[in-house]
Amino acid sequence: MMPMGQPRWRLKLILSLPVVLVLGAAAVLAFFVAHWSAIQSDAYSRAQEVHFVRAQFERRIASVTDNQQTVTIWTEAQRMIAGPRDPEWFDRNLGVWLYQTYEFERVFLLDAADKPIYVMVGGRSVDPAIYAQSQAIVAPLIAELRRLRRGPLHPGPTLRYLRRLVSIDGRPAIISISPILDSQGNTSGQAGDEPVHIAIRSIDDHFLAEMGRDFFLSTPRFSRMNAVSEGEAVFPIDRSNPGLGYIIWRVQRPGAETLKGLWPTLAVSGVLITLLGLYVIMLICRAADRVIDTRERLDQLARHDALTGLANRFAFEAALAARCAEAGPGTPRFALLYLDLDRFKEVNDLFGHPTGDELLCAVARRIEREVGTSDVVARLGGDEFGILVPKVGSKVHLDSLCRRIVAALATPFDISNQRVDVGVSIGLALSEGTVERAESIVRRADKALYRQKRAGRNGYSWEAGETGDDVPAEPSIAASDTIRALVA
């Protein structure tokens, strides 16, 4: 529980801080979960897309051979190469047609002795001698195909093509070599000694644009390096030869796109959470104010007299006990004053209790005006008051204080348009400068009050000596109650 006297803002902060932390943690957790979910979704989507694109890329490479073999495993082609050779027929079936239909950039047709029969470049037939420009790349692959088809072991004559990825003119390209066979896949002579058909297609921008269009890829491009920016994916064109280069494209990011679409909702939610937090904090602050006000009122009732607003008997006894506990050699002396109104009973009987209550309030205000700011003034009950002077410089100071109080209360009061005259009797005792017991100084102040009452009232008296005084040994009823409370 917050101790009394603590600033209000500190209590409000202590009560509001958990709300702020919980709402803040909830907001951070929600953002973290949304962000983490977006990252995980993007990572899964990226892996799936890379797997799909690689599979489609390899399938597209394989399609070069599949398309080529629509014309190389064909009895008519085998017959036309063996018999009279018709260049226009080659254009319509083995060269230009492949360019127009499947976008093969180059086609070479070689006989069994690897001599060029027909060459197509860029959609038109050209001098077969141009084959010499590509022979260094193509010839080793043809020799490998013939060797494999002649071999007694696997794959042997059943091998119907050889396909490789190579670099031509600084760009990766697909080379597919297929022997010319009949429609059942049989050779006309010895396996490995057939005429061969070579089809070449570059993996150029047009090839990548087709992939992008067919597979919904965003900005696919070719690169010699595998460095990518955020949001891009990459894989090597040839897994066994990364030096050929890489295909790079911008992957789909469903998580990021979803998160981007959710930002307005998240922002509105954040505003609503903030408003809710402010509303809850406002309620907490109001509740804290009510609690503090209630505690202050309870403290006021517990420590102050309900009629005059002065300290009550409980608070006065506590202050006196605390001051006695501090007393000792080297500490300032303190004084206790007991005040009892003169003729108060007559005022009560003559004008009634309401007037008497109003008079007590007026008396309290006059006493407060005469005492110091550190002095404790209390109503002990009925028309009795007490004053604790915690630090006394000299007896002269106490004499002056008593004379001022007597003079102030001797001045008539105007209560409910009635002139009311009362006086006051004061008994005062000064601490002994050593360890002081509360009941001791209470008893001495009470004796001094009795002395003044018997001396004629409307004045003040100091305590008598320890012996030789004629004041009754028993204190007043009020003092006895105080002593019993302090002793208890």
Side-chain angles (χ1 to χ4, degrees):
M1 182 177 292
M2 176 67 66
M4 293 301 295
Q6 291 282 6
R8 288 176 179 252
W9 67 264
R10 186 172 299 175
L11 176 60
K12 294 176 182 178
L13 178 62
I14 291 175
L15 295 176
S16 302
L17 188 59
V19 176
V20 175
L21 293 178
V22 169
L23 292 179
V28 171
L29 180 62
F31 173 79
F32 173 79
V33 169
H35 186 64
W36 180 83
S37 298
I39 292 176
Q40 293 298 108
S41 176
D42 287 345
Y44 178 78
S45 175
R46 179 194 187 97
Q48 292 295 100
E49 187 169 335
V50 170
H51 177 76
F52 171 77
V53 173
R54 183 189 295 276
Q56 296 303 322
F57 175 71
E58 293 175 353
R59 187 173 301 170
R60 185 164 291 246
I61 291 176
S63 70
V64 172
T65 300
D66 294 339
N67 296 331
Q68 178 190 33
Q69 289 189 340
T70 60
V71 297
T72 59
I73 303 178
W74 185 22
T75 303
E76 182 69 12
Q78 191 179 61
R79 186 182 63 80
M80 291 298 294
I81 294 173
R85 295 167 182 169
D86 182 358
E88 292 185 1
W89 187 91
F90 288 160
D91 280 340
R92 291 194 306 271
N93 296 278
L94 300 181
V96 175
W97 180 81
L98 291 175
Y99 171 82
Q100 296 171 343
T101 305
Y102 301 117
E103 299 182 341
F104 293 174
E105 290 93 357
R106 303 181 194 182
V107 168
F108 303 118
L109 185 60
L110 308 182
D111 62 15
D114 294 337
K115 301 297 183 182
I117 301 172
Y118 171 81
V119 175
M120 184 277 296
V121 178
R124 64 186 183 89
S125 59
V126 296
D127 185 352
I130 292 179
Y131 167 70
Q133 299 176 1
S134 303
Q135 187 173 3
I137 297 175
V138 176
L141 302 179
I142 297 174
E144 181 180 358
L145 174 65
R146 294 190 185 283
R147 178 178 58 81
L148 291 173
R149 283 184 58 78
R150 291 178 186 139
L153 301 178
H154 181 80
T158 59
L159 180 67
R160 296 186 178 183
Y161 71 91
L162 181 70
R163 184 177 59 246
R164 294 288 186 269
L165 293 170
V166 298
S167 178
I168 298 178
D169 299 331
R171 294 298 296 263
I174 308 161
I175 295 182
S176 180
I177 305 174
S178 178
I180 304 297
L181 306 175
D182 64 19
S183 299
Q184 282 73 42
N186 298 318
T187 182
S188 59
Q190 181 66 33
D193 293 334
E194 308 91 350
V196 293
H197 185 276
I198 302 98
I200 300 176
R201 183 171 185 191
S202 297
I203 303 176
D204 54 12
D205 294 339
H206 182 67
F207 182 95
L208 296 178
E210 283 184 347
M211 284 190 61
R213 182 183 66 248
D214 294 344
F215 308 132
F216 303 101
L217 302 184
S218 176
T219 61
R221 59 189 174 89
F222 168 78
S223 175
R224 288 290 182 185
M225 307 297 293
N226 63 348
V228 297
S229 60
E230 183 180 3
E232 289 186 329
V234 60
F235 66 80
I237 291 175
D238 188 350
R239 300 189 192 191
S240 62
N241 183 17
L244 281 180
Y246 300 85
I247 292 179
I248 300 174
W249 75 100
R250 184 164 295 279
V251 296
Q252 298 181 24
R253 302 177 65 191
E257 292 299 321
T258 301
L259 187 61
K260 182 179 179 181
L262 284 177
W263 270 120
T265 302
L266 292 176
V268 172
S269 300
V271 171
L272 292 178
I273 291 175
T274 302
L275 293 177
L276 175 61
L278 293 176
Y279 177 70
V280 172
I281 291 173
M282 180 185 69
L283 294 180
I284 290 175
C285 291
R286 288 181 179 178
D289 284 332
R290 288 194 294 269
V291 169
I292 293 173
D293 291 342
T294 300
R295 292 185 62 180
E296 289 177 349
R297 286 195 297 270
L298 293 175
D299 181 68
Q300 178 75 14
L301 293 174
R303 296 180 173 273
H304 293 79
D305 178 56
L307 177 64
T308 63
L310 298 176
N312 59 13
R313 178 184 292 275
F314 171 78
F316 189 75
E317 291 171 351
L320 178 60
R323 187 64 187 88
C324 288
E326 297 171 356
T331 61
R333 301 176 72 181
F334 64 94
L336 177 63
L337 283 68
Y338 268 174
L339 290 71
D340 186 80
L341 295 183
D342 301 328
R343 297 180 297 280
F344 179 73
K345 184 177 183 304
E346 289 83 349
V347 173
N348 245 357
D349 294 341
L350 181 61
F351 299 107
H353 290 290
T355 300
D357 290 345
E358 191 174 347
L359 174 61
L360 290 174
C361 292
V363 168
R365 302 290 81 77
R366 289 190 184 184
I367 294 174
E368 284 183 315
R369 287 197 295 267
E370 303 302 330
V371 300
T373 56
S374 61
D375 299 343
V376 180
V377 183
R379 181 188 176 208
L380 303 179
D383 60 344
E384 294 181 350
F385 295 85
I387 301 174
L388 174 63
V389 182
K391 293 182 180 180
V392 177
S394 65
K395 288 187 176 182
V396 175
H397 168 72
L398 293 176
D399 286 330
S400 174
L401 174 62
C402 291
R403 284 195 293 270
R404 292 198 307 272
I405 293 175
V406 170
L409 299 186
T411 303
F413 292 86
D414 183 11
I415 305 297
S416 300
N417 297 322
Q418 301 287 339
R419 176 188 171 92
V420 178
D421 290 301
V422 293
V424 66
S425 297
I426 304 175
L428 67 159
L430 187 63
S431 66
E432 297 173 346
T434 59
V435 177
E436 187 81 11
R437 297 183 64 185
E439 57 266 30
S440 173
I441 193 169
V442 166
R443 186 182 298 276
R444 289 188 281 118
D446 191 60
K447 287 181 177 181
L449 177 61
Y450 264 82
R451 178 176 289 107
Q452 178 59 36
K453 286 283 189 180
R454 297 179 63 180
R457 305 179 183 245
N458 202 31
Y460 69 96
S461 292
W462 284 87
E463 59 181 301
E466 289 295 321
T467 60
D469 60 75
D470 57 355
V471 178
E474 292 299 323
S476 68
I477 295 175
S480 298
D481 292 341
T482 301
I483 292 171
R484 284 194 294 271
L486 289 171
V487 172

